[in-house]
Amino acid sequence: MPAHVKSAPKNKNKSKTKPPSKKMTHKEVIEEPEAAEPIKTKDDAKAIVVEQEIKFARCLAGNDPKVRNRVLKNLKKWLKLRSEGTFAFTDTDFLRLWKGLWYCMWMSDKPLVQEKLAEDLSSLVHCFNDPKVSLQFFGNFLETMCREWFGIDQWRMDKFMMLVRRIFRQVLFKLQEHSWDTELVQLYGAWLDKTIYDETKAPIGLTMHFNDLYLEEISKVTDGNIETSDVHALLEPCVVFFAKSRDLRHIKHATRNIFHKLMFQSELGQDYQEKFEYWKQAGFPCTDLDDLEVNVEVQEDSEQESENEENGEEVEKELDVRAGRVNVVLKELKFDPEEIINLFEKYRFKEFTNSKSRKTIKEMIQKFRRFAAGEFPLGTHKMPTVQDVREKFEDFDPDKKAQELLDYEEELVKNTVYMPPRVKRKMEWKQKHLMNGNGVKNGSDNGWVEENDENELPKKKKKKVEKEETPVKDAKKSKVAKKLKKSENTEEDVDMDQSKKEENAIKLLKKWAKKEKEIEKSEKLSKVAADEEVSTPKKSLVLNPFAAASTSKKQKDKKTPTKSSLKAKNA
C-alpha cells in the first residue's frame, strides 16, 4: 500500500449484526421480541397486527404437531388481548386466521387427536368479550368452509364435518349465555343467510350436513330447557331458506330433516313411533293404528346411575355418541304449531319465492294444521287386510282390462294421425254446430257426428266490395291469390274421395300401357334399320334427332340418289 494512502481506523465498539440462524423454530418466531420501534400512526400499528396474523397462519399450517399446539395456545392469549384493545376485528383478519386454522385441521391425524383439535378450535369462540365478534368469527368460519369444501378429499371429510358440528355447538352455548337475545339471534340468522344458506355460494353437501345436525345440537345444548319463542326464532332462518330455495333437493332435505323431524321428536310423534313398532311386531292385527291399545311399562334406571345418585357423584353429560355404550339422549323441543304456520305464511308470497317452494309451503301448512288439531300427519295409519285385497280383486277381469287398453291405444293412434287444419276445423264445427233433422243436437256420448256431405251446411259467400286499387296492391293480391290457389289444390288433394283416387289410378295404368306400346314400336323400327345397315353398310342413318334437324337443310340442297347410280357406285 502506498505511503500517502492510510487505512481507516477500525471501530472496535461497532456492533456486529449477525443474521438469524436458519434452524429457528416456529416458537422462536412468534415469541422472539422484535426491535422496539416507535409507532407513529395507526397505519403502522395495523401493519404490525396484520404481520402477526400472517405469522400465526403460517405456523398453524406447519408440519410439526408440537409447534402447532404451542402456537394455538399463544393464539388464544393473543385473541383475548386483541379483543380488549382498540383495533376492531375485520372479516379479512378472521379469514387470514381461519386459513391457517383450516390447514391445522388438515394436517392433524388420528381420530382422538382430531377430536381434541376440533374442541380446541371451537373453544376460540369464547375468546371474545363481545358476542357479536364471536358471531363474526363463526360467520367467517362458514365462509372459509364454503370456499374450501370442494378441496376436501374423502379421507378428510369426516373430521371437517365434526369441526362444523363442534363450532356450531359452541356458538349455541354463546347464545345461551346471553339468554337468546333477539338482536344476537337476528345477527346469527343474517350470517347463515349470507354463507351456508346462500345457494350460489355454499355447496349442497355442506348445507345438507348443517341441516342434519341443526335440531340435534339445539336439543343437546339446551337439554330441552328453552322457550317456544326462542325455538321459533332459531327456526326462522330455516324457513327463509326453505322459501327462497330453487333446488328441489334442498327443499326435500329440509322438510325431512328439520320440519318432519321437529314433529317426530314431539310427544305426539314419539307416541306414534311406539305404537307403530308394537303394531309392526304384532303383525298388523288391526287395519287402523288408532284401534290398537298399548300398555307401556316404565323401566327403572340402570344400576350405575342409581349408585352415582347414592354417592352424590355428578356424571358428566356426554354430547357425542362414542364406543363403550355411550349414548346421547335428545330431549324434546317444545314448539307451537300455530307460530310455525305464521312463519310459513309470512314468507310464502315474498319476491324471492318460487312455484316449487310455494307448493311445498302449502303442504307443510296443511300438515302443521293437522298436527295442531291433535292428529299426527306423518307415517302410515292404515293397513289393508288380506280379505280387503281379495274383495278388491274379485271382479277383476283380465280380458276386459286388456280390451280397454287396446281401445285406448286405438284412440291414441287416431289422435296422433296428422289431420290438415281445414279438415280439423270442419270436424270441430260438426261437433259443435251440426244438428239433426229435428233441429236437435246429436245425442252421442262424445258429441261427434259422422261425416256426411248431406249434413254439411252451405258456406256463406262473402260479398265482394269494389274498391279502387293501385297497381302495387293488385300485384300483392295476385301473389296472395296464387298462394291461396296452391293451398286449395293441396287441400283438395287431401280431401279427395276414394273413388277419385281409383279413377286417377286407372288413368295412370292406361298411360303406362300406351308408353309400353310406343316402346315396342320403337324397338321394331330400330331392328328394321339395323337390317338395312347390314345390307347397305356405307349408307349413314342419322339416329340422333338433333343431328337430323341440323342436317335437314343440307339434304334438301343435294339431289336424292337413284337406284342406277347406287348400283354403279357399288360396282
Side-chain angles (χ1 to χ4, degrees):
M1 184 181 288
H4 64 275
V5 178
K6 294 183 180 180
S7 62
K10 293 181 180 181
N11 189 3
K12 295 181 180 180
N13 298 325
K14 186 178 180 181
S15 60
K16 295 181 180 180
T17 57
K18 294 182 179 180
S21 60
K22 294 181 180 179
K23 296 183 179 180
M24 188 179 292
T25 62
H26 293 288
K27 182 182 176 182
E28 292 173 352
V29 170
I30 296 295
E31 296 179 354
E32 184 181 1
E34 297 180 356
E37 295 180 358
I39 299 172
K40 297 179 181 179
T41 60
K42 288 185 178 180
D43 294 336
D44 296 338
K46 185 63 180 174
I48 292 169
V49 171
V50 171
E51 186 180 357
Q52 290 174 352
E53 291 171 359
I54 293 170
K55 284 182 180 179
F56 275 117
R58 286 178 179 174
C59 295
L60 287 168
N63 294 328
D64 193 353
K66 294 180 180 179
V67 174
R68 289 201 303 267
N69 294 332
R70 290 174 190 169
V71 173
L72 188 60
K73 290 178 183 178
N74 293 332
L75 179 63
K76 287 182 182 179
K77 297 176 184 177
W78 184 80
L79 288 174
K80 288 178 181 177
L81 293 171
R82 170 81 187 276
S83 62
E84 295 173 358
T86 56
F87 286 104
F89 284 100
T90 61
D91 292 341
T92 52
D93 296 338
F94 283 136
L95 288 173
R96 284 192 209 101
L97 292 173
W98 268 117
K99 189 73 173 178
L101 294 170
W102 191 82
Y103 278 108
C104 183
M105 192 69 188
W106 177 278
M107 300 298 292
S108 65
D109 198 8
K110 307 299 180 185
L112 295 176
V113 176
Q114 294 166 2
E115 188 176 357
K116 186 178 179 302
L117 181 60
E119 285 292 336
D120 293 338
L121 295 181
S122 62
S123 64
L124 295 175
V125 175
H126 302 283
C127 293
F128 310 100
N129 297 328
D130 190 0
K132 293 181 181 178
V133 180
S134 299
L135 291 174
Q136 187 183 6
F137 183 74
F138 170 66
N140 285 282
F141 161 71
L142 293 178
E143 187 80 28
T144 304
M145 290 303 298
C146 292
R147 187 181 66 243
E148 304 289 345
W149 183 262
F150 288 112
I152 303 172
D153 53 33
Q154 58 180 341
W155 294 280
R156 293 181 173 89
M157 183 60 70
D158 291 339
K159 62 182 179 182
F160 280 102
M161 292 170 74
M162 179 178 62
L163 179 64
V164 173
R165 181 183 287 271
R166 299 297 174 88
I167 291 178
F168 176 62
R169 184 186 299 166
Q170 296 301 323
V171 169
L172 292 176
F173 276 121
K174 193 74 175 177
L175 292 173
Q176 190 182 27
E177 287 177 7
H178 293 81
S179 63
W180 308 102
D181 187 21
T182 55
E183 187 180 355
L184 293 177
V185 173
Q186 288 177 359
L187 182 61
Y188 156 79
W191 275 110
L192 291 184
D193 192 32
K194 285 191 292 185
T195 54
I196 206 163
Y197 281 159
D198 186 3
E199 289 185 351
T200 59
K201 186 183 295 184
I204 186 170
L206 180 60
T207 307
M208 285 183 174
H209 172 61
F210 188 77
N211 288 336
D212 286 338
L213 58 90
Y214 199 82
L215 292 179
E216 292 179 4
E217 295 303 320
I218 294 172
S219 179
K220 289 176 186 178
V221 170
T222 60
D223 202 11
N225 300 323
I226 183 172
E227 296 180 0
T228 56
S229 60
D230 297 331
V231 174
H232 302 152
L234 289 173
L235 287 173
E236 189 170 0
C238 304
V239 174
V240 175
F241 168 70
F242 187 80
K244 72 179 182 180
S245 179
R246 296 183 178 276
D247 194 344
L248 196 60
R249 295 172 293 177
H250 277 311
I251 294 170
K252 289 182 178 180
H253 190 268
T255 53
R256 185 174 61 252
N257 290 278
I258 295 178
F259 302 109
H260 285 181
K261 189 184 284 186
L262 188 67
M263 287 189 275
F264 271 113
Q265 61 91 39
S266 65
E267 187 177 354
L268 191 62
Q270 291 176 16
D271 292 341
Y272 165 77
Q273 291 177 18
E274 290 175 0
K275 288 181 75 173
F276 184 79
E277 285 297 325
Y278 287 117
W279 192 34
K280 184 179 178 182
Q281 290 173 7
F284 304 106
C286 55
T287 57
D288 198 347
L289 180 63
D290 297 332
D291 298 337
L292 187 69
E293 293 182 1
V294 181
N295 296 324
V296 181
E297 296 180 358
V298 179
Q299 296 180 357
E300 296 181 357
D301 297 334
S302 61
E303 296 179 358
Q304 292 181 358
E305 291 178 356
S306 59
E307 288 177 1
N308 292 329
E309 288 178 359
E310 290 176 359
N311 298 329
E313 296 178 359
E314 292 184 359
V315 181
E316 292 183 1
K317 183 183 175 182
E318 293 290 342
L319 298 176
D320 294 294
V321 180
R322 58 183 72 249
R325 296 182 181 178
V326 178
N327 299 321
V328 178
V329 179
L330 298 177
K331 297 296 181 69
E332 179 188 354
L333 294 174
K334 295 181 180 179
F335 65 97
D336 186 5
E338 294 294 337
E339 291 294 329
I340 302 295
I341 291 169
N342 293 335
L343 277 176
F344 279 118
E345 291 288 357
K346 181 181 176 182
Y347 297 102
R348 184 179 177 183
F349 296 106
K350 293 287 185 180
E351 295 178 353
F352 50 76
T353 58
N354 54 78
S355 59
K356 294 178 183 177
S357 62
R358 284 193 293 270
K359 184 179 178 181
T360 48
I361 285 171
K362 184 180 177 182
E363 293 174 359
M364 293 304 303
I365 289 170
Q366 293 173 358
K367 289 177 182 178
F368 275 102
R369 280 176 181 164
R370 289 172 60 189
F371 186 86
E375 180 187 357
F376 191 71
L378 305 174
T380 56
H381 294 268
K382 290 184 179 181
M383 185 67 65
T385 60
V386 178
Q387 188 176 358
D388 295 336
V389 176
R390 286 177 181 173
E391 290 176 357
K392 184 178 179 181
F393 291 99
E394 271 182 0
D395 300 332
F396 179 74
D397 187 5
D399 297 332
K400 186 178 179 182
K401 296 294 180 184
Q403 188 62 38
E404 288 178 1
L405 287 173
L406 290 172
D407 296 340
Y408 179 66
E409 186 180 359
E410 288 179 2
E411 289 180 4
L412 287 176
V413 170
K414 286 179 182 178
N415 293 330
T416 53
V417 171
Y418 173 73
M419 188 180 291
R422 184 170 173 274
V423 178
K424 197 172 182 182
R425 289 194 300 272
K426 189 192 219 179
M427 298 295 287
E428 289 175 357
W429 177 83
K430 283 183 181 182
Q431 185 182 6
K432 291 180 181 179
H433 302 288
L434 193 60
M435 301 292 178
N436 288 333
N438 298 327
V440 182
K441 191 175 179 180
N442 194 347
S444 59
D445 296 335
N446 53 9
W448 287 81
V449 181
E450 295 181 359
E451 187 177 358
N452 293 322
D453 295 335
E454 296 176 358
N455 295 331
E456 290 183 6
L457 294 175
K459 296 180 181 179
K460 293 182 179 179
K461 294 182 179 180
K462 295 181 180 179
K463 295 181 179 179
K464 295 182 180 179
V465 181
E466 295 181 358
K467 292 182 180 179
E468 296 180 358
E469 296 178 352
T470 57
V472 179
K473 289 184 179 179
D474 292 339
K476 287 183 179 179
K477 282 195 171 183
S478 63
K479 290 180 182 178
V480 173
K482 287 179 182 178
K483 289 182 180 179
L484 288 171
K485 283 182 181 179
K486 288 181 181 178
S487 63
E488 285 177 0
N489 292 331
T490 55
E491 289 176 356
E492 286 176 0
D493 294 338
V494 174
D495 296 338
M496 190 182 293
D497 296 335
Q498 191 172 359
S499 60
K500 291 182 180 180
K501 289 181 181 178
E502 290 177 357
E503 290 177 0
N504 292 333
I506 291 166
K507 288 179 181 179
L508 290 171
L509 287 170
K510 289 180 179 179
K511 287 180 182 179
W512 178 71
K514 287 181 181 179
K515 284 182 181 179
E516 282 189 345
K517 287 180 181 179
E518 291 176 358
I519 290 165
E520 288 177 358
K521 286 181 181 180
S522 63
E523 287 178 354
K524 287 180 182 179
L525 291 171
S526 62
K527 285 181 181 179
V528 171
D531 294 337
E532 290 180 357
E533 282 182 1
V534 171
S535 60
T536 58
K538 290 184 179 180
K539 191 176 180 181
S540 64
L541 295 174
V542 180
L543 299 177
N544 191 352
F546 298 102
S550 61
T551 56
S552 59
K553 292 182 180 179
K554 294 180 181 179
Q555 288 177 359
K556 286 181 181 178
D557 297 336
K558 292 181 180 180
K559 294 181 180 179
T560 55
T562 59
K563 290 183 180 179
S564 59
S565 62
L566 288 171
K567 288 180 181 179
K569 284 181 181 180
N570 290 331

